[in-house]
Amino acid sequence: MRNLRIQLVASHLAIVALMTVVMALAVVTFFHLGRSINRILRDNYDSVIAAEDMKESLERIDSAATFYLAGQTGKARQQYQANLPIFEKWLNVEEHNVTEVGEQQMADDLGDWFPVYRVAVEKLLNGQVHGAAGERVYYFHLLEPSFLRIKQRAQDVLDVNQSAMWRADYRTRSEALRAAWVALGITVVAFVVALLLARRSIHKILIPLRTFATEAAAISDGDLNRHIDLKRDDEIGTLAAAYNQMAQSLREARRTEEQRLKTEFISVAAHELRTPVTSLQLSVELLIEGAAGKLTEDQQTIVATQQQDLARLQKLMQDLLDTGRLEAGAFPQRLEPVDVGDIVHAALDSVRTEMDEKMIDAKIRIESDASVSVDRAQMTRVLTNLLSNAIRHSLAGEEIGVEAFRESEDLVRIDVHDNGAGIPRAYLPRIFDRFVQVPGATRGGAGLGLSIAQSIVTAHGGSISVESALGKGSTFTIVLPAEVKEVGHHGEDIADRR
């Protein structure tokens, strides 16, 4: 570790050395001024690229509409879907890179006009415009004028930024020439500059201490998401590392406490809501049976919707209560020898309606000797959850797969596979945590199913894992011992006593 005092001495010696070379380097440095100032042009460069790519992608979207008019529906929709995110990406770049006078209005116009144009194009591509003649009229009277207006606005962005780049380039070249002459005068004050640099070096050492004070004040105000990005191997670096470790420990402690309070609150709330929800369910059933008189068709629809919502709420509360029971070890297991094929088919029967609605087939491969000693109901619940997730994340007409076999003499493996969108890599380590849901994924519940599944499998002495790749689907794997037995306090086999 370098000593802070040594750094101070070294910095002063460096300033003395700088004074001896500053006169020679000053002229060379200012000759490079023009090259350095050219970096300013990057502000306009991003907007130029954005404008060009917006124009190109917009033209391809317009081509998609003409493909549709030509009867190439599939190609039209494919080209539209491919170029829509490209235009939106570069539009976002432009909206966050406004540098010239009048450019903000251009960006605002693009941001206002394009969503309207997008809706109009999707209306055509989705077949909501009837008749070939009507589609042509729709295109030439609505889509094409909107396309040309947006394209011209993108061209305006391109023009204003290109003009700015030419002006900036001219200015920087002129300034570089003037700087070369000014540099000769700068060498006269080199000694003063050296003194100022000495003072600056001292301040550079004190600035981190000010940062520590600011960060400490932020933590005292409750903002624990603080981090000092200071890579130094002296005393200040050690202090920064200790500060970051303290902040991390505080964040973990707060996260743990928040999770505990959340779990306690949800468990209590779920328990207290059971009675009123059950009462509401009974009331709805009585209404459906006509206890309060015959319902009209509209009333029956409303009551049926209420019944479905109450059923989902009942399931959510049951999942919350089950999570608490599993954590407390209050879920007794009734172990028995079970053929894996039996629980797989039982789970498939539970999701048969979902499969039929989406016309999804299941490819099953189960080895004849794949048997385990488990709680049949609990393990069926685990497989039902995995199958339901696979169906929910699969497109209509796709296929899911279930495979069970002996991985070794003592282990049985069960794989549930789908061909859906997959899980982002950042979420894989936390996918079995409670309340974790992948953004953009099809909503199916409160994010408790996989957490409950992991608790059940772990209680059976097994493990559950997942492999997934975006666009290629996911495979959930359960590995269970061929014999799972629970041992009592005196060493007797509880499974045998049952």
Side-chain angles (χ1 to χ4, degrees), residues 113 255 280 318 378 403:
W113 297 348
R255 189 180 304 113
L280 287 172
Q318 189 60 52
Q378 291 185 15
E403 185 176 3

CSV table of all heavy atoms in Angstrom, one decimal, residues 113 255 280 318 378 403:
chain,number,residue,atom,x,y,z
A,113,TRP,N,-45.9,11.9,-34.2
A,113,TRP,CA,-46.5,11.4,-35.5
A,113,TRP,C,-46.3,9.9,-35.7
A,113,TRP,O,-47.2,9.3,-36.2
A,113,TRP,CB,-45.8,12.2,-36.7
A,113,TRP,CG,-46.1,13.6,-36.7
A,113,TRP,CD1,-47.0,14.3,-36.0
A,113,TRP,CD2,-45.4,14.6,-37.5
A,113,TRP,NE1,-46.9,15.7,-36.2
A,113,TRP,CE2,-46.0,15.9,-37.2
A,113,TRP,CE3,-44.4,14.5,-38.4
A,113,TRP,CZ2,-45.5,17.0,-37.8
A,113,TRP,CZ3,-43.9,15.7,-39.0
A,113,TRP,CH2,-44.5,17.0,-38.7
A,255,ARG,N,-32.7,-5.5,3.4
A,255,ARG,CA,-33.5,-6.4,2.5
A,255,ARG,C,-34.0,-7.6,3.3
A,255,ARG,O,-35.2,-8.0,3.0
A,255,ARG,CB,-32.6,-6.9,1.4
A,255,ARG,CG,-33.3,-7.6,0.3
A,255,ARG,CD,-32.3,-8.1,-0.8
A,255,ARG,NE,-31.6,-6.9,-1.4
A,255,ARG,CZ,-30.3,-6.7,-1.2
A,255,ARG,NH1,-29.5,-7.6,-0.5
A,255,ARG,NH2,-29.7,-5.7,-1.8
A,280,LEU,N,-67.8,-14.6,0.3
A,280,LEU,CA,-68.1,-14.1,-1.0
A,280,LEU,C,-68.3,-15.2,-2.0
A,280,LEU,O,-69.2,-15.1,-2.9
A,280,LEU,CB,-67.0,-13.1,-1.4
A,280,LEU,CG,-66.9,-11.8,-0.7
A,280,LEU,CD1,-65.7,-11.1,-1.1
A,280,LEU,CD2,-68.2,-11.0,-1.0
A,318,GLN,N,-54.0,-19.2,-0.8
A,318,GLN,CA,-53.6,-20.5,-0.4
A,318,GLN,C,-52.1,-20.7,-0.6
A,318,GLN,O,-51.4,-21.3,0.2
A,318,GLN,CB,-54.4,-21.6,-1.2
A,318,GLN,CG,-54.1,-23.0,-0.7
A,318,GLN,CD,-54.5,-23.2,0.7
A,318,GLN,OE1,-55.6,-22.8,1.2
A,318,GLN,NE2,-53.6,-23.7,1.5
A,378,GLN,N,-48.1,-33.6,-3.1
A,378,GLN,CA,-47.2,-32.5,-3.2
A,378,GLN,C,-46.4,-32.5,-4.5
A,378,GLN,O,-46.2,-31.5,-5.2
A,378,GLN,CB,-46.3,-32.5,-2.0
A,378,GLN,CG,-47.0,-32.2,-0.7
A,378,GLN,CD,-46.0,-32.0,0.5
A,378,GLN,OE1,-44.8,-31.9,0.3
A,378,GLN,NE2,-46.5,-32.1,1.7
A,403,GLU,N,-39.8,-35.6,-19.6
A,403,GLU,CA,-39.0,-36.7,-19.7
A,403,GLU,C,-38.6,-37.2,-18.3
A,403,GLU,O,-38.2,-36.3,-17.5
A,403,GLU,CB,-37.7,-36.4,-20.5
A,403,GLU,CG,-36.9,-37.6,-20.8
A,403,GLU,CD,-35.7,-37.3,-21.7
A,403,GLU,OE1,-35.6,-36.1,-22.1
A,403,GLU,OE2,-34.9,-38.2,-22.1
